[in-house]
Amino acid sequence: MHDATPSTPRLAVLTGDRPTGPLHLGHYVGSLKTRIELQETHTQYILVADTQAMTDNAHDPDKVRRNVLEVALDYLAVGIDPRKSTIAVQSGLPALAELTLLYLNFVTVARLERNPTIKEEIQARGFGRDIPAGFLCYPVAQAADITGFKANVVPVGEDQAPLIEQTNEIVRRINRQAGVDVLPEAEALIPSMGRLPGVDGKAKMSKSQNNSIPLSATPDAIREAVRSMYTDPNHLRASDPGTVEGNVVFTYLDVFDDDRAEVERLKASYRAGGLGDMVLKNRLEDKLQALIAPMRERRERFAEDPGYVFSMLKAGTDRAKAVTQRTLDEVRTALGTFSFASVRS
Ligand code: TRP
């Protein structure tokens, strides 16, 4: 063999985050950590999903706008490398809006209303009967995000799994209608630990619940958050036996402490009685300070140069624009749907 064997093309990855506030440890555990690994082996696209953020923040577009740069800074802070990953701003990609309009014809309102993620979110936002149509339909827009980049892999927290499922239903319908597999199905890459609970013990860490630790938190804020963490309410004295299950400090140690053997020893000694909460909290605080300190430092360095961050976003958005426009053209051609250019023929 004289010719070099062409290497198999890299699989594509697409994820996004709504720019509504600083990213936190839940984002890190649920998705960002995986993205840092995937950028070495995959063609990775990351969307600052400002258009999607508008589906429940139409009353506060300024918040969304302000947070675009903040989320970009969080990406750079955790180690997303713009030479390896393409970071793009969703509102700069009109092909995604056009794909959304097309896909809306391949999904029913009943199916949208059945989506468990949407049901939960409608509940949490207290929309009652006044659900913005854009909100109900954002899973279709998210299907456009994912398929616009022909993503094979979507690293997300488990709460997003129903959205990937709905995406793949749309993909199958489009492909069936087209008679050709113009779009790939996507696989959700969900971390095995499930979702990171909030510091208050609630099921999900979320900025709006005020139970999150931002990746940009100051050392004092980290200490404060750990001190306030939910443990075992019946563990009043160090000498009392304590419960490990549902004890947020242990849940976090399971995630953030690499010394598994030591964590198991601590659990045993906590259960038996004789181990105080403060010992555990100090240990966890050390781990979190060590994890977040380099992120905070990188963030501060990039924050000094917003011009760089903006041009990085611009370059990424331009690349993503070309990719998504090509997909839109392919889908239209495969479906035989019109574009203005085809009207005359
Ligand atoms: N829905 C995601 C969230 O709320 C954000 C998002 C937008 C996304 N587009 C995406 C996630 C595409 C994965 C793939 O966090």
Side-chain angles (χ1 to χ4, degrees):
M1 287 286 278
H2 297 287
D3 296 339
T5 330
S7 53
T8 42
R10 288 180 167 209
L11 292 173
V13 183
L14 180 281
T15 44
D17 299 278
R18 298 176 177 203
T20 53
L23 300 183
H24 52 62
L25 281 177
H27 295 111
Y28 181 72
V29 171
S31 173
L32 292 169
K33 203 163 178 270
T34 319
R35 296 184 213 177
I36 295 161
E37 290 160 15
L38 288 174
Q39 69 181 350
E40 304 298 335
T41 50
H42 289 60
T43 300
Q44 178 158 257
Y45 300 94
I46 301 175
L47 275 186
V48 184
D50 56 347
T51 309
Q52 187 180 113
M54 283 295 284
T55 63
D56 63 342
N57 287 280
H59 58 282
D60 196 0
D62 197 49
K63 176 173 86 180
V64 176
R65 189 189 56 76
R66 273 186 286 108
N67 277 295
V68 171
L69 272 186
E70 296 300 319
V71 166
L73 281 172
D74 283 332
Y75 289 157
L76 296 171
V78 298
I80 302 286
D81 181 345
R83 288 166 304 187
K84 298 173 179 167
S85 299
T86 296
I87 304 176
V89 180
Q90 190 180 26
S91 59
L93 306 174
L96 296 184
E98 295 194 47
L99 279 174
T100 303
L101 273 181
L102 192 55
Y103 293 176
L104 278 167
N105 305 307
F106 291 84
V107 62
T108 65
V109 173
R111 174 64 181 91
L112 289 165
E113 287 170 342
R114 268 201 313 276
N115 186 313
T117 304
I118 300 300
K119 274 168 109 169
E120 204 179 292
E121 290 178 343
I122 285 172
Q123 199 76 22
R125 282 162 184 71
F127 283 139
R129 292 169 47 86
D130 299 324
I131 306 162
F135 188 83
L136 184 67
C137 297
Y138 94 70
V140 181
Q142 190 156 321
D145 297 346
I146 293 167
T147 58
F149 293 90
K150 297 203 174 156
N152 310 98
V153 180
V154 187
V156 281
E158 65 172 1
D159 61 305
Q160 295 284 304
L163 295 173
I164 315 302
E165 220 173 281
Q166 190 156 14
T167 296
N168 287 334
E169 278 177 37
I170 293 171
V171 166
R172 287 192 289 271
R173 288 192 175 177
I174 297 276
N175 288 344
R176 198 181 320 122
Q177 177 65 33
V180 51
D181 285 349
V182 59
L183 298 172
E185 289 191 37
E187 183 197 347
L189 209 60
I190 294 166
S192 52
M193 66 83 49
R195 54 172 91 167
L196 193 70
V199 296
D200 57 358
K202 292 225 179 80
K204 189 177 168 183
M205 180 175 278
S206 138
K207 171 164 164 50
S208 56
Q209 298 270 345
N210 245 327
N211 64 4
S212 70
I213 303 181
L215 299 172
S216 50
T218 62
D220 282 349
I222 296 169
R223 173 167 307 120
E224 188 54 36
V226 174
R227 293 273 155 91
S228 77
M229 231 170 229
Y230 181 85
T231 60
D232 169 2
N234 298 316
H235 186 245
L236 299 176
R237 277 179 302 261
S239 54
D240 293 340
T243 306
V244 167
E245 289 69 30
N247 186 317
V248 178
V249 179
F250 276 114
T251 310
Y252 279 45
L253 284 172
D254 277 338
V255 176
F256 297 107
D257 192 332
D258 290 332
D259 190 346
R260 305 309 317 144
E262 181 60 16
V263 173
E264 290 312 313
R265 270 195 296 278
L266 291 168
K267 284 182 185 174
S269 130
Y270 194 79
R271 286 193 175 105
L275 185 58
D277 282 357
M278 269 325 284
V279 177
L280 293 172
K281 286 186 169 177
N282 286 336
R283 182 178 179 92
L284 177 62
E285 191 202 322
D286 288 346
K287 303 289 168 197
L288 294 184
Q289 298 285 13
L291 174 72
I292 290 178
M295 296 180 189
R296 194 176 45 238
E297 280 155 26
R298 266 199 303 269
R299 195 182 206 286
E300 280 164 8
R301 254 188 297 123
F302 284 113
E304 285 170 13
D305 193 355
Y308 163 77
V309 182
F310 182 79
S311 61
M312 181 279 289
L313 285 176
K314 172 83 172 72
T317 305
D318 285 345
R319 271 202 301 281
K321 205 169 165 175
V323 173
T324 51
Q325 182 61 48
R326 195 179 329 125
T327 305
L328 174 63
D329 291 342
E330 285 174 19
V331 172
R332 275 178 172 163
T333 303
L335 286 174
T337 42
F338 47 87
S339 60
F340 182 68
S342 70
V343 168
R344 211 160 165 246
S345 52

